[in-house]
Amino acid sequence: MVPEGTPGPSYPSEVVVAPDGRFLWAAVRGDDTLAVLSLTPDGAAATLVATVPCGGTWPRDLTLDPSGRHLYAANERSGDVTWFALDPETGIPVRAGSVDVPAASCVVLG
């Protein structure tokens, strides 16, 4: 889930799939990124599209909003939750903001 040549160990934590099944996002601790994968229509294969910074350190959890247009990352070691607007064509997250949350370990939308 990380490009070849990425230094150091990487530890995937959470994955979420788009409501329409076209994309999968994975939080990757160590290099502190979000991996974006495109999925085949049957979900049998995935292709790495991009990796983007998660907006903090040690992304523990990911959550999609109910519309599937925003992705939230709980960054445990930096103590924040960062949210991203999702490009509907590419699935690539674009940072939209963050809020301090000490020892953030999950994101729950109510």
Side-chain angles (χ1 to χ4, degrees):
M1 285 195 282
V2 295
E4 274 190 53
T6 300
S10 297
Y11 307 96
S13 58
E14 182 67 34
V15 298
V16 294
V17 176
D20 63 8
R22 293 176 47 220
F23 300 104
L24 177 145
W25 298 275
V28 184
R29 297 168 291 173
D31 67 343
D32 299 328
T33 60
L34 303 175
V36 183
L37 295 95
S38 65
L39 302 175
T40 58
D42 63 1
T47 302
L48 182 65
V49 173
T51 59
V52 299
C54 70
T57 306
W58 211 252
R60 173 68 61 183
D61 186 48
L62 295 178
T63 301
L64 276 174
D65 77 333
S67 73
R69 294 185 302 214
H70 295 94
L71 180 68
Y72 297 82
N75 299 305
E76 183 177 21
R77 292 188 179 166
S78 58
D80 58 69
V81 172
T82 304
W83 61 92
F84 301 83
L86 296 170
D87 182 296
E89 297 302 314
T90 65
I92 296 175
V94 176
R95 185 181 171 145
S98 68
V99 62
D100 290 339
V101 181
S105 63
C106 68
V107 177
V108 177
L109 302 176

